[in-house]
């Protein structure tokens, strides 16, 4: 890996603000897979997600002179993508609001993930795992996805979900507790859920 690819986000962002367009290309390559995967959890319209990502980076280029320094590009991009996708979804149909926050469906499709583990599971057991995850609320699904699959910390999750720090922690704790209760007599299956949650998604981008 080149030294430039090893640059941290803060350094790359500073280089971009100083006029280095290659730095933004490196930022794009570093984050596009995660952005695409996250966006496709919010909407099944893959083309809409790809267009939204492109629009975000075009906007960054246009607004370079007015942008501030940041040490967390990932958080900035995730928040921007979610906000843009919600606006696009709202154009086609109303979105339920809970305490002023838009509620969107969040689809975590884990069935295929259970085929690539060290556990020997029957079709019935795999379906039980999927059903357990589907029993979570959309916000719980999004929170555990951001925490375990994407590795965001509680502060970052709080920003994306428009919550305070303690509420973000509580949301994730309730999600895990709910899974534990649903799978109370299936300790091995509960371990399998946690294993899958901790696996980063590395699907091809385009």
């Amino acid at each position: 890996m080149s030294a430039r690819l090893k640059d941290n986000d803060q350094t790359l962002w500073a280089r971009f603000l100083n006029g280095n367009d290659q730095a933004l290309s490196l930022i794009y390559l570093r984050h596009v897979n995660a952005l695409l995967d996250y966006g496709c959890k919010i909407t099944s319209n893959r083309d809409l997600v790809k267009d939204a990502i492109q629009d975000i980076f075009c906007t960054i280029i246009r607004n370079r002179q007015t942008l501030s320094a940041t040490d967390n590009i990932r958080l900035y991009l995730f928040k921007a993508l979610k906000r843009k996708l919600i606006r696009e979804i709202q154009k086609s149909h109303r979105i339920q609001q809970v305490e002023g926050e838009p509620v969107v469906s969040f689809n975590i499709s884990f069935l295929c993930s259970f085929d690539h583990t060290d556990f020997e599971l029957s079709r019935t057991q795999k379906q039980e795992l999927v059903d357990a995850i589907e029993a979570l609320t959309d916000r719980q699904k999004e929170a555990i996805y951001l925490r375990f699959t994407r590795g965001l910390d509680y502060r970052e999750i709080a920003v994306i979900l428009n919550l305070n720090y303690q509420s973000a922690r509580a949301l994730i704790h309730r999600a895990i507790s709910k899974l534990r209760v649903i799978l109370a007599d299936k300790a091995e299956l509960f371990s399998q859920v946690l294993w899958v949650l901790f696996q980063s998604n590395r699907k091809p981008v385009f």
Side-chain angles (χ1 to χ4, degrees), residues 132-144:
I133 293 172
E134 287 302 315
L136 302 177
T137 68
D138 287 314
R139 281 171 73 77
Q140 286 174 334
K141 292 176 189 176
E142 184 174 5
I144 63 172

Side-chain angles (χ1 to χ4, degrees), residues 24 27-43 46 48-50 52-54 56-57 60 73-82 85 106 145-146 150 152 160 201 203 205-206:
L24 188 63
I27 291 170
Y28 176 87
L29 291 174
R30 180 173 292 179
H31 294 284
V32 65
N33 277 348
L35 288 169
L36 182 64
D37 187 61
Y38 177 51
C40 287
K41 298 294 188 290
I42 296 173
T43 174
R46 191 178 179 87
L48 174 61
V49 176
K50 290 194 290 187
I53 294 171
Q54 295 292 340
I56 288 169
F57 278 89
I60 288 173
I73 297 173
R74 177 178 62 172
L75 178 59
Y76 172 87
L77 292 173
F78 270 53
K79 183 71 173 178
L81 178 60
K82 181 177 182 180
L85 288 176
F106 197 83
Y145 168 84
L146 293 172
R150 289 299 155 206
L152 274 65
I160 292 175
N201 192 318
K203 295 177 182 177
V205 182
F206 303 118

Side-chain angles (χ1 to χ4, degrees), residues 11-25 27 55-70 76:
T11 300
L12 286 175
W13 190 252
R15 286 169 49 205
F16 165 68
L17 294 183
N18 288 328
N20 187 325
D21 289 334
Q22 183 185 20
L24 188 63
S25 296
I27 291 170
D55 286 347
I56 288 169
F57 278 89
C58 288
T59 299
I60 288 173
I61 293 173
R62 287 197 304 270
N63 297 337
R64 173 166 23 200
Q65 301 303 319
T66 61
L67 295 174
S68 303
T70 181
Y76 172 87

Side-chain angles (χ1 to χ4, degrees), residues 101-113:
E101 180 70 9
V103 177
V104 295
S105 61
F106 197 83
N107 177 41
I108 303 181
S109 180
F110 280 134
L111 188 56
C112 63
S113 300

Side-chain angles (χ1 to χ4, degrees), residues 176-193:
I176 298 301
S177 296
K178 188 172 183 178
L179 290 174
R180 192 186 300 275
V181 169
I182 294 172
L183 300 171
D185 59 341
K186 303 178 179 68
E188 182 176 314
L189 290 184
F190 179 72
S191 297
Q192 178 74 339
V193 168

